[in-house]
Amino acid sequence: MAKKRIKKRTVRLMRPADAEPGVFAIAEGRKLSFYYFRELASDIGGRGFRVLRLGTTAVYSVRLASVADTTCECMGFLRIGRCKHVLALQALIKEGLLNARMTN
Ligand SMILES: [Zn+2]
């Protein structure tokens, strides 16, 4: 029987969003990537985040809203309509780790 090769991906919050910036780590197989993130005010609904991968200059703006309105600037999202940045932030929110911010 052929085994499906699906890499298990997990996300872990390393430093809370309040830390400005927060840090989360995405583990894919044995690879571990760290990201700084900061929540941005979103004037158009949903929740906005800026995500920066440590050790790179790659910065992405992520917007989490309804399925149709969720976006990320990365190539993965542009190509297939989903990406690890969106999935990681959604997972952290689902776990109750990124509570909605008080309005400034
Ligand atoms: Zn992305």
Side-chain angles (χ1 to χ4, degrees):
M1 230 169 38
K3 267 192 193 168
K4 269 195 180 174
R5 296 256 225 96
I6 296 176
K7 263 197 222 163
K8 196 181 170 202
R9 187 189 284 156
T10 54
V11 59
R12 188 141 56 105
L13 189 66
M14 310 300 286
R15 205 163 73 173
D18 301 352
E20 291 276 333
V23 177
F24 63 78
I26 297 176
E28 288 174 282
R30 305 172 95 177
K31 201 176 112 202
L32 194 60
S33 313
F34 291 88
Y35 295 84
Y36 280 124
F37 71 99
R38 203 186 282 275
E39 184 157 7
L40 309 170
S42 173
D43 298 332
I44 47 174
R47 294 178 70 182
F49 294 88
R50 182 144 301 155
V51 176
L52 175 119
R53 183 162 168 200
L54 257 77
T56 72
T57 53
V59 182
Y60 306 110
S61 293
V62 180
R63 181 172 171 235
L64 302 179
S66 65
V67 175
D69 288 334
T70 291
T71 57
C72 180
E73 294 176 326
C74 74
M75 287 308 291
F77 195 92
L78 292 176
R79 258 200 328 258
I80 60 169
R82 65 198 185 94
C83 69
K84 56 189 170 186
H85 314 112
V86 166
L87 294 173
L89 289 165
Q90 284 174 336
L92 293 173
I93 288 173
K94 199 174 159 199
E95 287 173 36
L97 296 172
L98 296 184
N99 292 323
R101 237 213 225 153
M102 300 282 184
T103 42
N104 301 322

